[in-house]
Amino acid sequence: MCKSKSYTGIDCFRFIAALLIIAIHTSPLVSFNAMADFILTRVIARVAVPFFLMTSGFFLISRYTRNADRLITFIKNTALIYGAAILIYIPVNIYNGYFRMDNLVPNIIKDIVFDGTMYHLWYLPASAIGVVIAWYMVKKAGYKKALAVSVILYLIGMFGDSWYGIAEKVSVLKSFYGFVFQITDYTRNGIFFVPVFMILGGFIADNNYKFSFKKSMLGFFISFAFMFVEAMMLHHYKLQRHDSMYIFLLPCMFFLFNAVLHFRGKRYVWLRTSSLVIYIIHPMIIVAIRLFSKILHLQELLVENSIVHYIVVCLLSVIFGIAVTILWNKYKPGKPKHISGTDRTYLEINLDNLEHNVKVLRKAMMQNCELMAVVKTEAYGHGAFEISTHLNKMGVRAFAVATIDEGIKLRKYGIDGDILILGYTSIQRASELKKYDLTQTIGDYDYAKALNNQGIIVKVHIKIDTGMHRLGISADDFVEVKRIFSMRNIKVCGIFTHLCCSDSLEEDDVLFTRSQIDRFYGLIDVLEGSGITIPKLHIQSSYGLLNYPYLKCDYIRVGIALYGVLSSPNHKTELELDLRPVLSLKSKVVLIRSVKEGDSVGYGRNFIAERDSRIAILPVGYGDGYPRSLSMENSSIIINRQRVPVIGRICMDSLVVDITDAGEVSVGDTAILIGMDECGGLPAPDVAESYGSISNELLCRMGARMPVVTI
């Protein structure tokens, strides 16, 4: 099983960012050159906090999220850390006279919510507030609108920060910012500063940007050069009230983060934890160093020499951070973790093959035709979340499901675009159709009338029965179809039919399919002739494309072909596309034992050994979707690039294979039940054919309890 590499660059740059933040609070070069210190602490180091925010956004602010659990966990953890940090710094606050200020209670509330009870702690409440704003803006409005709003918020904050010198000269703006500063001391907070960086991080994650490292670094250096000029200009004209928010900080961070993503490899979780500890504890270290240097009369060396002061603060903060991390990892409450490579049985999903199939299918389509990905039944057993989110990132904007609940799941995963429900939905759920922006199939006039009577505007596609006689309004019922177009609460967005034998090139089947096509387009011509504006059309499924690629439609509903296989190995098609299987079913050998000639294996003693044999037990069975009808040597699997027969009856949770002739097989070896290897493999159509079924049915069995591993 291939393991995806972790974002090593993010882990390492967290640590660098923590050291830059220490630089901001210690001014390492101020003893030697004030301008050099300004450049380091007020320009270069300004990338640190935005990087932390973009990292949080990268992992949290994603359209492709199942629910808000991770968001809630982030807020809870941030609140706990913030609470602990507030308690830690109470002695320092007592020493510096914090609790003797006027209007103590209102100021404490303001500090807790916005400014932090210590100067650096503002980051924690800002993160909690900003992530909520960013998460819900992306969820409700999508990235484009969310980014636009967050940039406006950032610009408002910027004129209360580094560009304040201009704002204070305009009376209206001065009054506005005066009001803001009564609530919060700075505009670099969770409302104005944080959301844009959170959203940028999520935007990069979801849109799968792949700028080369050279282009990313070039973009960063150009943006940084402009930011440097901007900072120097603002400093020269003394326009800065604070100096956290620059115009060119936004593109600078966008390109820097993309560059950092190119460093992939081992995950360094300890760097992530220790960086947070360093950030929180370094002011305490600064206080401690100043105290002990005063006691030991070493102020000139440890405090007044700014470089030495910075180095010592960094060193002690890092030591403390690593120590806390070690103790935390040793004593933190344990929870079960999924360890890659330990699964008993798993589905391996090759996303590169999925991308390849999409490109091949799109190339085969007529011009201006759009791929509608059929992802019903957990994307034919491949995992609806993994498949749909990856397709959405690739630009697929039309999906088809069987039920309203499947459609709602896709929306909760963050899927953009049209989602067509091919099956029946109770009219009582009309409000959910609208809420989740789902498109319902109408296959009956009475159903359309009942749905219209709910008083809720619903998007629909009308299904036409052209000869399959399953669902759909007859192609001859022109009047009923036309009436649906006039219904007040029904918004017709498409019309389609289904070709019931398009998978066959037998003469009779081809003639029948052509009659279906003629009946469908005949109805469309009549509708158009009566003044109806024709919505989007779709008539082809996978085999419709492969055998009738010349049909002009707006969508092609691609199901089984999207996953790289045909329904049967015997099917011949007009188009022979280079489709690649996406799914492999794999398991592991968990036990090897010997059986003597005459011994029986499994339920019912259906297998009797005809020779002394070696058998292997695999923890996979019909409970995992591997059909019981493949028992009794009706199937084989691959271990060590060799086919070995399945013997005895397949159980709910296990099966047995004969490895007598398979050479060296060991416990822990990987077995392929469905899928390809270097020597050919076991394609789903062949496995399905061996028990008298089709790939569609076999694959849809998969995934009930097995983890999905993407490669």
Side-chain angles (χ1 to χ4, degrees):
M1 183 177 7
C2 296
K3 298 178 182 179
S4 60
K5 293 183 178 180
S6 296
Y7 293 102
T8 306
I10 289 180
D11 288 337
C12 293
F13 203 86
R14 287 178 198 260
F15 187 75
I16 295 171
L19 299 184
L20 287 174
I21 288 170
I22 294 177
I24 293 172
H25 297 146
T26 56
S27 295
L29 304 179
V30 72
S31 301
F32 305 92
N33 188 299
M35 181 55 68
D37 189 74
F38 174 82
I39 294 170
L40 172 63
T41 62
R42 300 300 183 260
V43 186
I44 296 174
R46 285 310 177 195
V47 304
V49 170
F51 181 83
F52 282 131
L53 297 173
M54 288 183 70
T55 298
S56 297
F58 185 79
F59 293 110
L60 280 176
I61 311 301
S62 171
R63 284 188 291 113
Y64 310 113
T65 179
R66 296 173 188 266
N67 49 50
D69 288 348
R70 292 179 68 190
L71 173 70
I72 294 169
T73 299
F74 177 85
I75 294 170
K76 285 182 178 178
N77 290 341
T78 302
L80 288 172
I81 293 168
Y82 187 32
I86 289 172
L87 294 175
I88 289 171
Y89 281 99
I90 285 178
V92 177
N93 285 330
I94 292 173
Y95 175 77
N96 63 24
Y98 177 84
F99 295 104
R100 294 195 297 269
M101 75 172 83
D102 296 332
N103 301 312
L104 179 61
V105 173
N107 277 298
I108 287 178
I109 293 172
K110 180 186 72 171
D111 288 344
I112 289 175
V113 175
F114 290 109
D115 299 330
T117 56
M118 276 290 289
Y119 55 85
H120 70 306
L121 294 183
W122 70 270
Y123 173 82
L124 296 169
S127 296
I129 294 170
V131 75
V132 171
I133 294 172
W135 197 89
Y136 278 102
M137 281 203 298
V138 171
K139 183 179 176 65
K140 298 295 182 182
Y143 275 114
K144 290 183 179 179
K145 292 180 180 178
L147 269 174
V149 173
S150 65
V151 167
I152 291 171
L153 289 173
Y154 181 84
L155 293 175
I156 292 171
M158 188 184 70
F159 279 98
D161 190 274
S162 56
W163 288 74
Y164 181 68
I166 293 176
E168 68 175 348
K169 294 177 182 178
V170 180
S171 59
V172 174
L173 293 179
K174 185 175 182 180
S175 298
F176 168 75
Y177 286 109
F179 172 74
V180 171
F181 295 140
Q182 289 179 5
I183 300 172
T184 170
D185 290 342
Y186 305 99
T187 52
R188 56 105 174 90
N189 54 42
I191 297 173
F192 300 112
F193 182 70
V194 173
V196 68
F197 294 110
M198 289 276 191
I199 293 171
L200 270 178
F203 181 75
I204 291 171
D206 281 354
N207 288 277
N208 202 23
Y209 276 100
K210 294 181 179 178
F211 289 116
S212 68
F213 180 72
K214 288 183 178 179
K215 287 183 179 179
S216 297
M217 289 305 297
L218 178 63
F220 168 70
F221 283 125
I222 292 173
S223 301
F224 183 81
F226 279 108
M227 187 175 79
F228 176 80
V229 172
E230 178 187 2
M232 297 306 292
M233 179 195 73
L234 295 172
H235 181 66
H236 176 75
Y237 290 106
K238 298 180 180 180
L239 298 177
Q240 296 160 305
R241 181 179 186 274
H242 197 58
D243 41 36
S244 295
M245 305 173 76
Y246 297 113
I247 295 173
F248 287 99
L249 181 59
L250 296 179
C252 186
M253 293 309 306
F254 179 79
F255 288 110
L256 174 62
F257 201 86
N258 272 286
V260 169
L261 291 181
H262 281 273
F263 294 93
R264 304 287 295 275
K266 185 178 179 181
R267 189 182 183 193
Y268 295 104
V269 179
W270 66 272
L271 275 178
R272 180 181 65 187
T273 306
S274 59
S275 297
L276 177 61
V277 176
I278 290 168
Y279 178 89
I280 292 173
I281 204 63
H282 75 271
M284 186 71 78
I285 300 295
I286 293 172
V287 171
I289 289 172
R290 290 182 177 181
L291 175 62
F292 283 103
S293 63
K294 185 176 182 180
I295 294 172
L296 300 173
H297 303 290
L298 295 173
Q299 295 101 317
E300 185 175 348
L301 174 64
L302 297 180
V303 177
E304 294 175 14
N305 187 315
S306 57
I307 291 181
V308 173
H309 181 59
Y310 171 70
I311 292 172
V312 174
V313 172
C314 285
L315 182 62
L316 293 180
S317 297
V318 168
I319 292 171
F320 189 89
I322 293 173
V324 170
T325 301
I326 292 171
L327 292 173
W328 172 252
N329 289 335
K330 184 176 181 179
Y331 295 109
K332 69 179 178 181
K335 61 179 180 180
K337 291 183 178 180
H338 176 267
I339 302 173
S340 179
T342 63
D343 302 305
R344 52 180 280 279
T345 300
Y346 56 94
L347 296 176
E348 188 175 85
I349 304 301
N350 191 317
L351 296 178
D352 288 339
N353 284 359
L354 179 67
E355 290 189 18
H356 169 83
N357 294 340
V358 170
K359 292 175 183 177
V360 168
L361 290 163
R362 281 174 166 168
K363 189 175 181 180
M365 294 177 182
M366 295 292 286
Q367 191 174 3
N368 299 322
C369 186
E370 188 177 351
L371 185 148
M372 179 183 285
V374 183
V375 292
K376 59 185 179 178
T377 319
E378 282 296 311
Y380 286 55
H382 291 63
F385 175 77
E386 290 77 10
I387 296 296
S388 301
T389 55
H390 196 73
L391 290 172
N392 219 194
K393 290 178 183 180
M394 291 177 61
V396 175
R397 290 293 180 268
F399 296 84
V401 295
T403 70
I404 185 173
D405 293 308
E406 288 181 334
I408 291 171
K409 278 187 177 181
L410 292 194
R411 287 295 186 225
K412 289 185 176 179
Y413 295 160
I415 298 302
D416 268 349
D418 298 321
I419 299 176
L420 173 63
I421 300 169
L422 296 171
Y424 169 79
T425 298
S426 169
I427 59 172
Q428 296 175 351
R429 303 188 72 176
S431 61
E432 291 177 89
L433 291 172
K434 183 175 182 180
K435 176 181 178 181
Y436 292 101
D437 191 24
L438 304 174
T439 304
Q440 176 60 42
T441 290
I442 286 182
D444 175 75
Y445 176 75
D446 290 336
Y447 176 79
K449 190 165 59 174
L451 188 61
N452 179 63
N453 290 339
Q454 297 301 302
I456 298 169
I457 297 176
V458 175
K459 295 193 299 185
V460 305
H461 282 204
I462 300 174
K463 185 167 188 180
I464 304 301
D465 178 16
T466 54
M468 188 172 182
H469 300 321
R470 184 179 61 176
L471 297 173
I473 301 171
S474 173
D476 300 324
D477 290 335
F478 156 71
V479 175
E480 287 192 349
V481 175
K482 187 175 179 181
R483 284 176 181 170
I484 293 174
F485 275 90
S486 65
M487 291 180 179
R488 182 176 181 179
N489 297 313
I490 299 296
K491 182 180 180 182
V492 180
C493 301
I495 306 179
F496 71 103
T497 191
H498 191 61
L499 306 177
C500 59
C501 54
S502 61
D503 58 342
S504 171
L505 293 178
E506 295 291 331
E507 184 177 354
D508 288 347
D509 292 330
V510 170
L511 288 173
F512 187 84
T513 299
R514 286 176 178 168
S515 73
Q516 282 191 279
I517 294 169
D518 291 341
R519 292 189 71 195
F520 180 75
Y521 284 112
L523 172 64
I524 299 304
D525 288 341
V526 173
L527 289 173
E528 193 169 24
S530 67
I532 298 291
T533 300
I534 303 301
K536 293 188 175 182
L537 305 178
H538 45 112
I539 189 170
Q540 300 144 293
S541 56
S542 292
Y543 280 99
L545 171 64
L546 296 174
N547 286 327
Y548 303 90
Y550 54 83
L551 299 178
K552 292 184 179 180
C553 290
D554 297 287
Y555 291 124
I556 294 179
R557 304 182 306 272
V558 184
I560 194 66
L562 182 65
Y563 307 107
V565 295
L566 298 180
S567 296
S568 168
N570 301 318
H571 283 162
K572 303 299 180 184
T573 57
E574 290 291 334
L575 289 182
E576 294 184 358
L577 303 181
D578 176 27
L579 299 175
R580 300 174 185 175
V582 174
L583 176 145
S584 296
L585 171 60
K586 296 185 177 182
S587 188
K588 291 183 179 296
V589 175
V590 294
L591 180 64
I592 296 174
R593 64 193 316 161
S594 299
V595 295
K596 295 181 179 179
E597 180 181 350
D599 284 351
S600 62
V601 176
Y603 283 117
R605 302 184 66 245
N606 293 102
F607 174 82
I608 305 295
E610 297 179 353
R611 58 176 177 169
D612 290 347
S613 306
R614 293 176 72 234
I615 62 172
I617 315 300
L618 305 182
V620 56
Y622 61 78
D624 300 292
Y626 194 71
R628 188 173 182 271
S629 52
L630 289 173
S631 303
M632 310 297 296
E633 299 184 77
N634 287 333
S635 64
S636 59
I637 68 164
I638 295 175
I639 301 178
N640 287 347
R641 302 184 181 181
Q642 297 188 62
R643 288 187 180 232
V644 296
V646 175
I647 61 174
R649 292 182 187 172
I650 293 173
C651 306
M652 183 182 292
D653 311 306
S654 62
L655 59 79
V656 183
V657 293
D658 186 342
I659 58 170
T660 307
D661 300 320
E664 291 296 325
V665 177
S666 304
V667 171
D669 283 353
T670 298
I672 301 174
L673 291 87
I674 300 172
M676 309 300 289
D677 68 359
E678 298 86 346
C679 303
L682 292 165
D686 291 347
V687 176
E689 178 78 8
S690 67
Y691 76 101
S693 187
I694 59 174
S695 302
N696 311 52
E697 187 260 351
L698 172 66
L699 294 174
C700 287
R701 288 172 172 264
M702 302 292 117
R705 64 181 179 184
M706 290 182 287
V708 175
V709 178
T710 57
I711 62 171

